[in-house]
Amino acid sequence: MRRSVRAKLLALVLAPLLAGVPVLLGLVWTWGSEAYGRLLNFKIGSDLVTAHEYFDRVRIGVGSEVQALAESHRLIRQLGAPSSATSVLLAELAPARRLDFLLLLDREGRPVAASQALAGEPAPRVDWPVVASALRGAALTTVERFSVDALQYLSPALRERAWLPLVETRAAAPDARTAEGRGLVIHAAAPVYDDKRNLVGVLEGGVLLNGNLEMVDRINAIVYRDGSLPLGSRGTATLFLDDTRIATNVRLFGDTRALGTRVSQAVRERVLGRGETWLGTAFVVNDDYVSGYEPIANGRGERIGMLYVGFLEAPFRDAGRMAMGALFVLFIVISAAGAVLSLRWARSVFRPIERMNAVIQRAAQGEADARVGAVESRDELGRLAGEFDHLLDTLSAKREELERWAEELDRKVAERTVELREANEMLRRAQQQLVMSEKLAAIGELTAGVAHEINNPVAVIQGNLDVLRDLLGPAAEPVRQEIRLIHQQADRIRQIVTKLLQFARPGEFAGYAEAVEVNEVVADCLFLTQHNFDRRAIGVVTDYRATVHIEINRSELQQVLINLIVNAAQAMPDGGRLAIASDDWREDGVPTGVTIAVRDTGAGIAPEDLSRIFDPFFTTKKGSGTGLGLSISYTIVERYGGRITVESRPGEGSVFTLWLRHVARYDETPSAPGFLKRW
């Protein structure tokens, strides 16, 4: 591919910038996005660890409180007292230790006292893992999912606190329920010993997490301290029972918390279904959050809920985009500065080359004195420019010498060409005259013999027909039509013989020349041929502009025009338009004669027939015509120093033009008339 040196240099200089910078920016964007994602995942992972540690501390704290109460002297002293007195003590201790319920169980696991009145008959509670562990002498704290009945048994107030209407949530797993009545409870139990360290019972207690907004707000405050998130972002924490938010500071709208909303099905399947931790972006209620979810298991190892922390992603995303945008701008500014400096350095290289290229173009356009001149560069390009000017000086001298020789040669060739042209023209005219003379002589001899041999029988036929018609008289009436036809055909034979003689011996038929006004002759010819137009529905258009009289025999001019008009009418059997125009013929502003153009809108003349239409006996009218009309017309016009030209295209009609001079001349060729130019 052809390119200028400047373009190639610019490509070499700018290619690393134009190609490398976009690639580099793309890599920076890709790596930056990946690093941004890893950074957010790392942060949310650390936030989830912090929340997990706090939740574990709360769980352990509940267990510690229950164990401390189980080992307290007040409870041990109360072991022998009536159950009602023990219940009063438990009702006093539970709120003080921020516990939602306390139960004192015997060695069989049956409740003997409770901080609140139980709704039902006491039944063994050894099915709970913490109770079973405490009966074995080991304190245990777990997170358990209490059924509606289990909460009702402990306290109707707990059941009411746990009840939560479910809110339809986008992308959540299908669930036919309309409310959540179960409870998520930090469940703890510790063994109770008497003074002799004999196991006498179990102290069971717990904290209901449903609606425990203080806990999630505390988790959020610990994980997302002031200033730990960009302006506009906010941290959130949530406790889930299965996939339902039972304690959260995520807002549904305004100050309304999104209690009762559910996590997406994708998160549920991964965290609750497969027991994995979710770290990444997730749709939370109504916006995208960088989220961390981990499962919460009960004492039996069953996944019963989730712990969640997260923060609004949009401010981080905007901050990341701003940082990437600033980096992009910095890259572009540095690239632009590098491009400017590179271009300034490259200009010192391609400026001399451009000057030499401009000199080459000027020299190619004919500027012999085009030179590069002095250049600032002193390197190889500077020396090349000097040698280039020296070469141009040498070429200029050689060119001038060649031009002198060429001018001399052209002059001699021109002289020989003129001589050859004149000789060829004379030879052509002589050949034309010789051919025409031989043709006319041959036709004249043939015509004279034919005329003599034909005219005598024709005269006998016509005379005998007259005698026959006179002798028969009325008896010839039955064959009168046949006699008339014989007479017409004999007369037609006579006319053909006359035309042959007129073509072969035009001088014998020539009339005297007179000053003729061509417009009048054209009008007379149109009047004489009017019946041809009416019969074929041909429209006639005339344009008379000729003002010059010509010397010609009026009858012969009329014969030529009538022949052209009749031929034009016959070329339009289905109708058309005939246009006749006359105009003054000028050459180099000097009046030369007149032109008469006859144009039809017929089928036109085939290209292969145009060169033969003036030949004797050539005709395109199959079955009619002698082929002598145009030949005789051409001979008449040429005898007066004129010409007949024709222009035709198949399907577009034909134009025959008469070129008639003031004085008969045979050594000039007519040029196109103004009439044809107007057409």
Side-chain angles (χ1 to χ4, degrees):
M1 180 179 285
R2 298 179 61 188
R3 290 289 186 271
S4 66
V5 175
R6 177 175 185 174
K8 293 177 181 178
L9 287 175
L10 291 178
L12 290 174
V13 172
L14 298 179
L17 297 175
L18 298 179
V21 170
V23 172
L24 183 60
L25 291 179
L27 293 175
V28 169
W29 179 269
T30 302
W31 294 338
S33 299
E34 293 178 355
Y36 166 76
R38 290 196 300 270
L39 179 63
L40 292 183
N41 288 346
F42 175 78
K43 174 171 175 52
I44 194 63
S46 64
D47 294 344
L48 187 60
V49 169
T50 304
H52 174 84
E53 293 295 331
Y54 176 77
F55 185 72
D56 251 4
R57 191 171 64 184
V58 172
R59 179 181 60 80
I60 293 171
V62 172
S64 298
E65 294 291 342
V66 172
Q67 186 171 2
L69 290 176
E71 296 173 353
S72 67
H73 293 291
R74 292 184 63 186
L75 181 63
I76 294 173
R77 288 197 304 268
Q78 198 69 23
L79 290 178
S83 60
S84 59
T86 305
S87 296
V88 171
L89 176 62
L90 294 179
E92 177 186 349
L93 294 175
R97 301 289 181 162
R98 303 177 68 84
L99 299 174
D100 290 322
F101 66 91
L102 277 175
L103 297 176
L104 182 61
L105 312 179
D106 61 16
R107 295 181 61 182
E108 301 297 328
R110 291 187 179 87
V112 296
S115 60
Q116 297 174 338
L118 300 177
E121 293 296 328
R125 298 178 61 79
V126 294
D127 291 339
W128 295 105
V130 294
V131 174
S133 177
L135 289 174
R136 293 192 298 270
L140 180 65
T141 305
T142 64
V143 179
E144 298 290 345
R145 179 174 56 202
F146 278 42
S147 66
V148 176
D149 293 338
L151 293 174
Q152 177 70 22
Y153 176 75
L154 292 175
S155 170
L158 290 179
R159 181 185 63 79
E160 291 178 2
R161 281 177 53 191
W163 187 87
L164 189 66
L166 295 180
V167 178
E168 184 177 353
T169 309
R170 189 180 77 179
D175 194 337
R177 299 179 305 153
T178 60
E180 177 62 78
R182 299 171 298 174
L184 190 67
V185 177
I186 298 178
H187 198 196
V192 178
Y193 296 95
D194 59 11
D195 293 337
K196 297 179 180 182
R197 300 300 297 173
N198 295 320
L199 180 66
V200 296
V202 171
L203 183 64
E204 176 190 0
V207 175
L208 180 65
L209 298 178
N210 293 46
N212 196 329
L213 304 182
E214 180 182 356
M215 179 181 293
V216 293
D217 288 345
R218 181 61 181 166
I219 292 175
N220 188 68
I222 292 173
V223 176
Y224 300 111
R225 298 184 301 274
D226 292 341
S228 63
L229 294 175
L231 182 64
S233 184
R234 60 178 180 273
T236 55
T238 302
L239 290 174
F240 287 88
L241 174 57
D242 286 342
D243 64 347
T244 304
R245 291 178 176 85
I246 59 172
T248 183
N249 54 15
V250 176
R251 297 310 194 260
L252 185 61
F253 52 84
D255 292 332
T256 302
R257 304 200 183 207
L259 297 173
T261 58
R262 300 167 58 225
V263 79
S264 67
Q265 186 171 2
V267 175
R268 174 190 173 96
E269 291 176 354
R270 182 169 173 180
V271 179
L272 293 179
R274 300 196 295 269
E276 299 174 359
T277 299
W278 174 289
L279 296 176
T281 301
F283 185 80
V284 178
V285 181
N286 53 20
D287 212 335
D288 288 329
Y289 283 75
V290 180
S291 306
Y293 295 85
E294 71 172 15
I296 298 175
N298 62 10
R300 301 179 184 86
E302 300 170 345
R303 293 182 286 275
I304 60 173
M306 293 181 290
L307 173 64
Y308 157 85
V309 289
F311 50 87
L312 194 62
E313 185 193 22
F316 281 87
R317 184 171 58 244
D318 295 341
R321 288 177 178 174
M322 289 182 62
M324 294 298 292
L327 185 61
F328 276 26
V329 172
L330 181 61
F331 267 112
I332 292 173
V333 170
I334 293 175
S335 301
V340 171
L341 294 176
S342 299
L343 289 175
R344 293 187 62 182
W345 176 78
R347 287 172 62 186
S348 64
V349 176
F350 58 67
R351 268 185 176 176
I353 299 176
E354 286 183 338
R355 289 177 61 179
M356 285 187 283
N357 182 58
V359 169
I360 292 173
Q361 294 178 353
R362 290 167 57 194
Q365 295 173 358
E367 293 187 31
D369 58 344
R371 297 293 184 274
V372 178
V375 296
E376 298 177 359
S377 177
R378 299 304 179 202
D379 53 12
E380 293 86 349
L381 290 176
R383 291 194 296 273
L384 178 61
E387 292 298 326
F388 187 66
D389 282 349
H390 177 69
L391 177 62
L392 288 177
D393 293 337
T394 303
L395 289 176
S396 179
K398 297 295 184 182
R399 183 173 54 251
E400 291 176 357
E401 185 177 357
L402 288 174
E403 287 176 353
R404 288 194 300 271
W405 283 100
E407 289 176 358
E408 181 66 20
L409 181 60
D410 289 343
R411 184 180 60 79
K412 292 182 177 181
V413 170
E415 292 175 356
R416 296 295 185 270
T417 302
V418 171
E419 294 174 0
L420 289 174
R421 186 184 299 114
E422 292 176 352
N424 288 335
E425 183 65 22
M426 292 175 63
L427 180 60
R428 184 184 63 81
R429 292 175 184 173
Q431 288 176 340
Q432 289 179 348
Q433 291 176 0
L434 179 59
V435 170
M436 183 60 69
S437 298
E438 291 178 351
K439 183 188 297 184
L440 292 177
I443 294 176
E445 292 177 3
L446 176 63
T447 301
V450 170
H452 179 72
E453 295 298 330
I454 292 177
N455 278 338
N456 290 336
V458 169
V460 173
I461 291 171
Q462 287 181 330
N464 288 333
L465 283 175
D466 294 338
V467 172
L468 182 63
R469 186 170 52 246
D470 293 340
L471 290 176
L472 291 178
E477 190 63 31
V479 291
R480 183 177 298 278
Q481 181 66 17
E482 286 75 6
I483 294 173
R484 186 181 63 80
L485 290 175
I486 294 172
H487 191 280
Q488 287 180 350
Q489 295 305 314
D491 187 64
R492 186 166 182 268
I493 293 173
R494 181 186 61 77
Q495 291 177 2
I496 292 174
V497 172
T498 302
K499 287 184 178 180
L500 286 170
L501 289 173
Q502 185 178 3
F503 177 75
R505 300 173 180 176
E508 297 178 5
F509 293 86
Y512 67 92
E514 59 180 320
V516 175
E517 206 281 315
V518 295
N519 295 336
E520 295 179 359
V521 178
V522 173
D524 292 343
C525 293
L526 288 175
F527 178 76
L528 293 174
T529 56
Q530 182 65 39
H531 62 283
N532 293 282
F533 311 143
D534 299 337
R535 185 171 56 199
R536 292 182 173 85
I538 296 174
V540 180
V541 178
T542 59
D543 184 12
Y544 300 141
R545 299 193 180 189
T547 60
V548 179
H549 289 68
I550 61 171
E551 294 290 330
I552 194 171
N553 182 267
R554 185 183 187 93
S555 298
E556 290 181 325
L557 176 59
Q558 193 175 57
Q559 178 183 349
V560 173
L561 288 173
I562 289 175
N563 183 59
L564 295 178
I565 292 171
V566 170
N567 286 348
Q570 292 174 350
M572 298 181 288
D574 298 325
R577 185 177 68 169
L578 174 68
I580 301 180
S582 65
D583 203 350
D584 291 338
W585 174 15
R586 295 177 177 272
E587 290 185 353
D588 300 328
V590 178
T592 304
V594 298
T595 61
I596 304 172
V598 180
R599 183 186 185 106
D600 64 72
T601 58
I605 304 172
E608 62 270 15
D609 294 337
L610 276 176
S611 61
R612 303 177 56 197
I613 59 173
F614 295 112
D615 291 348
F617 307 110
F618 176 79
T619 179
T620 60
K621 304 171 186 176
K622 305 303 180 183
S624 64
T626 63
L628 293 172
L630 287 177
S631 298
I632 294 173
S633 298
Y634 189 87
T635 302
I636 292 173
V637 174
E638 191 177 51
R639 188 168 66 242
Y640 289 100
R643 292 285 187 274
I644 300 179
T645 59
V646 59
E647 294 182 9
S648 180
R649 291 182 182 177
E652 298 183 7
S654 304
V655 180
F656 284 84
T657 306
L658 301 180
W659 305 76
L660 304 174
R661 294 179 178 273
H662 291 302
V663 181
R665 293 175 59 187
Y666 290 90
D667 58 350
E668 296 184 16
T669 301
S671 59
F675 171 72
L676 295 181
K677 295 179 181 178
R678 294 195 299 275
W679 279 60

